[in-house]
């Protein structure tokens, strides 16, 4: 095929998502409980959708600011400032069409052909995908699984750095492992980056979903914002997708030094050319009036985590520690092939889980389960899973 249609090797090398493989296998099964993708079961609250329909009715259907409409940039800065306990300059905020474009933009700013970017894994596969497409080389550093949970060995992180390294991607709280850095770990990672002049791309989209006091600052996860100086080289990825049940809207932001504003504006121009105004109006409504909904989602995920953790604790074949952050249980079945097992679970339990092999080094024998869902579904899913998992290893 590539002979008839020659394309860039970087595009041809873009990996197929291992999650999609399982979803395609099971998507038409009747009664399947889908816990394989990273989203909850609640639709966007009406007050958010209504802000978009009002905007459409008012004719806001034109091209707009590449950096985002000023009202949304201000709303993001206000809301983030309140969450972080720190003043955020709206000039640092660049609206993107979701968290994924913010990841892509961040990586495009700092790494290209011949460059390496270090990523603790198992990780959300899109980091590796975005790097591959841009021609840069992802360098995976596997998190250590232990009975207490995943941890990042900073000496190994440092050992993975080479003269070609341009950036370190840190996703804390992490998808899929729930690994969450302490404030001290973030400070140590920042020191490593500073010493070598590296960028940090910090994906903190799950910061509100945090369950362990040791990794918390106030009610959220520790952030690079807690330890950085204004001139540190940190790019932040954020999204409205998870907090406000807006995965399908495609709106998020990149936070970057204001000095990069013109460059980022140019990159937006040559990719999406901006995020629709009516979507941005909805985002403002979410940020200004959505805190009650976010709290509701956090409470549901906390309950979901407890249901799943309690059920997994009874299964000897399963290696699992309740995650300190995010809304996934990532558990291991020593010796299993997760792709095979995820299909078997579709067949025998009618539950959709994501195979750990989709998430890179360290994930091969794992399964990811999203617990941002109503309790009834999770209880039923765990009832169905128990007999399959109890009989393992296969
Ligand atoms: N970062 C991480 C760690 C994620 O898990 C996701 C979504 N699964 C995103 C970014 C992107 O979110 P979106 O593009 O839907 O806003």
């Amino acid at each position: 095929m590539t002979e008839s249609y020659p394309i860039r090797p970087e595009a041809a090398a873009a990996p197929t998502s291992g999650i999609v493989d399982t979803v395609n296998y099971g998507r038409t099964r009747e009664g399947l409980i889908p816990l394989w993708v990273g989203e909850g079961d609640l639709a966007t609250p009406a007050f958010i959708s209504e802000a978009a329909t009002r905007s459409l009715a008012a004719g806001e259907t034109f091209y707009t600011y590449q950096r985002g409409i000023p009202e949304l940039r201000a709303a993001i800065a206000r809301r983030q400032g309140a969450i972080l306990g720190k003043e955020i300059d709206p000039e640092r905020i660049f609206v993107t069409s979701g968290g994924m474009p913010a990841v892509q933009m961040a990586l495009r700013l700092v790494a290209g052909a011949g460059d390496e970017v270090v990523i603790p894994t198992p990780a959300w596969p899109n980091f590796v995908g975005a790097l591959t497409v841009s021609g840069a080389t992802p360098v995976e550093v596997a998190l250590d699984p232990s009975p207490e949970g995943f941890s990042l060995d900073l000496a190994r992180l440092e050992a993975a750095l080479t003269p070609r390294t341009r950036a370190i991607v840190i996703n804390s709280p992490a998808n899929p492992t729930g690994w969450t850095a302490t404030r001290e770990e973030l400070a140590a990672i920042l020191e490593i980056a500073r010493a070598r002049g590296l960028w940090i791309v910090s994906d903190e989209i799950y910061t509100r979903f945090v369950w362990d006091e040791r990794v918390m600052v106030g009610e959220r996860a520790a952030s690079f914002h807690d330890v950085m100086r204004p001139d540190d080289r940190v790019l932040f990825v954020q999204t409205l997708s998870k907090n406000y049940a807006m995965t399908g809207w495609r709106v998020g932001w990149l936070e970057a030094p204001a000095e990069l504003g013109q460059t980022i504006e140019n990159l937006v121009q040559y990719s999406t050319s901006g995020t629709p105004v009516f979507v941005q109006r909805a985002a403002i409504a979410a940020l200004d009036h959505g805190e009650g909904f976010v709290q509701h989602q956090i409470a549901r995920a906390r309950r979901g985590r407890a249901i799943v953790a309690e059920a997994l604790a009874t299964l000897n074949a399963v290696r699992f520690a309740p995650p300190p952050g995010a809304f996934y249980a990532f558990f291991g079945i020593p010796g299993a092939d997760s792709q095979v097992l995820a299909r078997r679970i579709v067949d025998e339990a009618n539950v959709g889980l994501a195979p750990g092999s989709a998430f890179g080094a360290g994930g091969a024998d794992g399964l990811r389960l999203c617990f941002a869902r109503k309790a009834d579904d999770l209880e039923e899913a765990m009832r169905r899973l128990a007999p399959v998992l109890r009989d393992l290893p296969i």
Side-chain angles (χ1 to χ4, degrees):
M1 193 175 84
T2 39
E3 260 166 48
S4 333
Y5 303 106
I7 57 173
R8 285 170 58 240
E10 292 87 350
T16 304
S17 165
I19 306 175
V20 172
D21 174 81
T22 311
V23 174
N24 283 341
Y25 181 70
R27 73 163 82 238
T28 57
R29 306 292 171 107
E30 208 166 312
L32 178 133
I33 302 175
L35 309 177
W36 40 28
V37 294
E39 63 186 350
D41 55 344
L42 296 177
T44 309
F47 75 89
I48 298 176
S49 303
E50 283 157 11
T53 48
R54 273 196 305 277
S55 166
L56 281 168
E60 291 191 313
T61 57
F62 296 93
Y63 287 135
T64 187
Y65 295 87
Q66 305 299 293
R67 301 183 193 204
I69 59 175
E71 300 92 313
L72 176 55
R73 298 177 78 201
I76 291 169
R78 223 170 25 240
R79 191 77 209 104
Q80 275 301 86
I83 291 166
L84 294 165
K86 178 177 179 178
E87 195 156 326
I88 303 290
D89 178 0
E91 287 303 314
R92 289 177 52 85
I93 305 296
F94 303 91
V95 175
T96 56
S97 296
M100 180 60 222
V103 166
Q104 198 191 39
M105 184 88 66
L107 295 174
R108 266 198 197 158
L109 283 166
V110 300
D115 297 333
E116 293 175 2
V117 173
V118 172
I119 307 177
T121 58
W124 185 47
N126 293 31
F127 298 120
V128 166
L131 285 167
T132 307
V133 172
S134 72
T137 305
V139 176
E140 303 188 355
V141 176
L143 294 163
D144 295 312
S146 81
E148 291 78 50
F150 287 90
S151 59
L152 177 62
D153 181 338
L154 293 182
R156 268 205 288 130
L157 179 80
E158 211 167 355
L161 305 174
T162 76
R164 290 178 194 237
T165 311
R166 294 287 168 269
I168 303 171
V169 173
I170 297 293
N171 171 213
S172 170
N175 172 8
T177 57
W179 170 76
T180 306
T182 61
R183 194 179 191 281
E184 293 69 34
E185 283 173 314
L186 293 179
I189 295 166
L190 185 58
E191 272 311 320
I192 292 170
R194 276 179 187 155
R196 307 210 182 206
L198 304 178
W199 282 91
I200 288 174
V201 174
S202 184
D203 178 329
E204 302 187 358
I205 75 163
Y206 295 105
T207 191
R208 308 293 307 277
F209 294 89
V210 64
W211 321 112
D212 184 331
E213 279 181 6
R214 285 170 294 186
V215 296
M216 288 165 78
V217 172
E219 301 206 330
R220 57 165 172 85
S223 163
F224 277 106
H225 270 295
D226 299 324
V227 294
M228 70 187 276
R229 295 191 301 254
D231 63 343
D232 274 315
R233 298 171 185 173
V234 186
L235 301 169
F236 293 92
V237 168
Q238 272 294 352
T239 180
L240 280 89
S241 287
K242 317 282 175 171
N243 290 359
Y244 302 101
M246 292 178 75
T247 50
W249 289 76
R250 315 311 305 136
V251 58
W253 69 91
L254 175 70
E255 187 195 332
E259 291 81 350
L260 297 178
Q262 187 59 50
T263 303
I264 293 171
E265 180 170 331
N266 301 343
L267 293 183
V268 171
Q269 179 64 52
Y270 304 132
S271 52
T272 59
S273 297
T275 298
V277 178
F278 56 92
V279 169
Q280 298 196 50
R281 296 281 179 217
I284 294 171
L287 291 161
D288 284 352
H289 306 291
E291 186 54 25
F293 181 75
V294 177
Q295 292 297 340
H296 175 60
Q297 295 234 88
I298 294 169
R300 283 174 111 231
R302 180 175 284 115
R303 172 121 196 260
R305 176 177 178 269
I307 292 167
V308 170
E310 196 183 325
L312 289 176
T314 65
L315 302 171
N316 290 334
V318 169
R319 182 186 66 232
F320 174 69
F327 47 59
Y328 307 99
F330 192 79
F331 53 93
I333 316 287
D337 173 334
S338 58
Q339 198 94 22
V340 173
L341 187 53
R343 285 177 174 229
R344 182 170 153 191
I345 286 170
V346 167
D347 290 337
E348 294 180 20
N350 213 14
V351 172
L353 301 182
S357 53
F359 303 95
D365 68 358
L367 292 165
R368 186 191 72 176
L369 178 159
C370 174
F371 55 71
R373 212 177 171 83
K374 65 171 175 286
D376 287 356
D377 278 3
L378 292 169
E379 279 162 359
E380 175 59 18
M382 298 320 289
R383 262 194 297 276
R384 293 187 197 172
L385 281 172
V388 184
L389 296 179
R390 191 169 287 128
D391 288 346
L392 296 169
I394 40 178

